[in-house]
Amino acid sequence: MVALNLFVYATTGSALAMGLFMAVRLGAGFLAGTVAGRLLARHAAKPVMLWSTVAQALVMLLLVVTPGGGLRTGVLFAVSAAVGACGTVFTVALRSSVPDLVGPDRRSWANSLMVGGRSLAMVAGFASSGVVVPWLGFTAAFLVDAASFLVCAAAVGRLPAPERDTTKGARSAAEKPPGRERRRGEGVFGAVTALTAVPALGLMVLLRGVDALGSSSHNAALPVYSSALDPDDPAAFVSRFWLFWALGNVLAQQVIQRWARRTGRSVGALGFGLGTTVMSCAFVLGFAGFPMAVTIGVALVAGAADGLTEVSYTSHLQTLPETLRGHAFGLSATVENLGFGLGMIAVSAALERFSALTVVAWSHGVAVVVAGIYLLRLYAVRGADAEGAPSAYNERPDDAGVPGR
C-alpha cells in the first residue's frame, strides 16, 4: 500500500493521478464483486482463493520485470486492475466460507482472529515500508509484496475444503422455480431481498458504502500530507500512522475475543454504528497537526474502532444462509468499492485545491452524519421490538440475524 501509492505520486507528482490509480483498482473490484457470488456458486471456495492469490503474485512480478519509464507506469495501472479484481474475489470467498470452516457458533471468534492476524501482518508490513522503500527502493518493495502473496497461497493450500450440504440442495431442487425466477431467487436479487428482510444487515451495508467513501479521503490524503511534513522521507509518517492503526486493531481483537468467550455474544449492530463514528472522528484528528505522540494515540483509536466495525459487519453478513452468503458478500464488496472509487476521484481532485485536513474532515463528516442516522434508526427498531428478541444488537452467534428467526 505504501510503496504503490508513493510510487505513483513520485512518478507523476499529482494527487489526481494517485487517485485515478486507486480508482482503477477499486473499479476492478467493483466489477469483480458483481460476479463473485456467481463464481462461488459454481466453484468451491478453496481453489477460487488459491488461484486469485497466485494471480496477484504473478502480476506483481510482472511489474518488477517491466522496464522503467512510461511503459512501467502503464503496466502499474494494469496491475492495479488485476490486484483489485483478484483481491475482491479472494475476500468474498474467504468471508463467505468462514461459517463452513469453523461452524456458525464460532464465526465471531474466527472473524476476530482473522482481522487480528491481518493486522499483525500489517504491523510488519507498514513498519518495514519505512525501511524497504527509502533504503532498497520500489522494486524491492514489489518483490516483498509478490512473496507475501505466495505465502498466502501456501496458507490457502493448507486449508480444509469447506463441505457443502449437497443433500439439502438436492432435496429442495424440485421445489425451486426454473430459469430466470430461480436465478433471481438465488442470485443478487435474493441477496438484496435477504438484506432488506433484516434491517440491521441492510442498513449496515448502506453505511459501509458511505464509510468507504469517507475512508477514501485519508487513503488519498496520507501520502500528500506526509510529503508536506517531510519531503525527504515521505514514507515515514505514512508507515508510522498505519503501524499504530494496525496495533490498535490487534488490541481491539484481543478484547473482542475475550468478551465473546466470556459472554457467548458477538459484537452487535449498535457497536458497528458507534465504531464507525469513533473511527471517522479519529481519522479527522490524525490530520489536525498534533504532535506525533498525540497522533499515535489517534491512530490507535482509529485502528481499534475499525477492528470493531469489521468483526461486527462480517459476522452479521455470515448469518445469511449459505446459498445467499456469497452473493451478499459480493454485493457488499461492490457497494464498498463503488463508494471508495467514487470517493478517490472526488477527494484526489479536491486535494489539488484544499488542505488534507479540510478534505478528510468533509469526507468523514458525511460518514458521521449517516452513522448518526443509522444509530437513530437502530434505536427506533429496538424500541419497536422491545418485547421480541434483541438479536440485531447483541446477537448470540447461533441464530442472530437469520431471516425468519
Side-chain angles (χ1 to χ4, degrees):
M1 188 182 300
V2 175
L4 287 172
N5 292 343
L6 288 175
F7 177 75
V8 177
Y9 189 65
T11 302
T12 63
S14 170
L16 179 60
M18 182 186 65
L20 291 174
F21 160 75
M22 296 187 71
V24 168
R25 186 181 69 186
L26 293 165
F30 169 83
L31 296 176
T34 61
V35 301
R38 187 175 303 177
L39 181 66
L40 290 172
R42 298 180 179 179
H43 304 281
K46 182 176 178 178
V48 170
M49 288 190 288
L50 178 63
W51 290 112
S52 63
T53 306
V54 171
Q56 291 179 84
L58 293 178
V59 295
M60 292 305 302
L61 292 175
L62 174 64
L63 181 61
V64 171
V65 300
T66 302
L71 179 60
R72 194 176 197 186
T73 302
V75 171
L76 179 63
F77 280 86
V79 167
S80 69
V83 170
C86 294
T88 296
V89 171
F90 176 89
T91 301
V92 171
L94 178 61
R95 289 178 173 178
S96 61
S97 62
V98 164
D100 301 319
L101 286 168
V102 303
D105 58 331
R106 303 185 73 195
R107 57 186 169 77
S108 181
W109 165 82
N111 292 328
S112 180
L113 191 65
M114 287 195 305
V115 173
R118 184 185 62 186
S119 297
L120 284 173
M122 293 176 73
V123 169
F126 288 129
S128 64
S129 66
V131 176
V132 175
V133 174
W135 290 7
L136 302 179
F138 291 113
T139 298
F142 298 153
L143 286 173
V144 171
D145 201 14
S148 71
F149 282 120
L150 294 177
V151 172
C152 180
V156 171
R158 299 282 295 177
L159 284 176
E163 297 183 0
R164 297 186 175 186
D165 191 355
T166 55
T167 305
K168 180 179 178 181
R171 289 197 308 265
S172 59
E175 302 176 2
K176 296 180 181 179
R180 181 177 298 177
E181 294 302 320
R182 178 176 177 179
R183 289 195 297 271
R184 287 185 177 182
E186 297 185 352
V188 176
F189 291 101
V192 172
T193 301
L195 291 177
T196 56
V198 183
L201 292 179
L203 287 170
M204 289 172 93
V205 172
L206 176 61
L207 178 56
R208 189 75 166 185
V210 176
D211 176 63
L213 189 148
S215 296
S216 65
S217 63
H218 62 255
N219 279 275
L222 270 174
V224 179
Y225 185 70
S226 182
S227 298
L229 288 178
D230 188 355
D232 296 329
D233 189 10
F237 180 83
V238 177
S239 60
R240 289 172 189 167
F241 187 91
W242 286 123
L243 169 63
F244 285 97
W245 172 90
L247 286 173
N249 204 315
V250 171
L251 293 175
Q253 301 317 313
Q254 297 300 313
V255 174
I256 291 172
Q257 291 177 38
R258 285 174 171 78
W259 184 76
R261 285 197 299 266
R262 187 174 66 253
T263 65
R265 297 179 181 271
S266 62
V267 180
L270 185 62
F272 174 75
L274 294 175
T276 301
T277 303
V278 173
M279 176 180 61
S280 293
C281 293
F283 273 120
V284 173
L285 294 176
F287 293 85
F290 292 123
M292 181 55 65
V294 177
T295 303
I296 286 174
V298 169
L300 283 169
V301 173
D306 205 352
L308 175 71
T309 59
E310 179 73 16
V311 173
S312 174
Y313 182 75
T314 304
S315 298
H316 272 69
L317 285 188
Q318 287 169 352
T319 60
L320 292 172
E322 180 185 352
T323 54
L324 297 176
R325 204 181 302 141
H327 295 290
F329 274 107
L331 177 64
S332 172
T334 298
V335 171
E336 292 179 58
N337 282 309
L338 177 63
F340 206 102
L342 293 177
M344 285 303 305
I345 296 175
V347 166
S348 299
L351 285 170
E352 299 285 347
R353 297 185 56 187
F354 302 101
S355 67
L357 175 60
T358 300
V359 174
V360 174
W362 275 102
S363 302
H364 275 291
V366 174
V368 170
V369 170
V370 176
I373 297 173
Y374 165 82
L375 290 170
L376 290 175
R377 175 59 178 164
L378 284 185
Y379 180 79
V381 173
R382 181 168 60 178
D385 296 341
E387 297 181 359
S391 60
Y393 304 93
N394 286 298
E395 61 181 35
R396 293 195 178 277
D398 54 347
D399 63 356
V402 179
R405 295 195 178 185

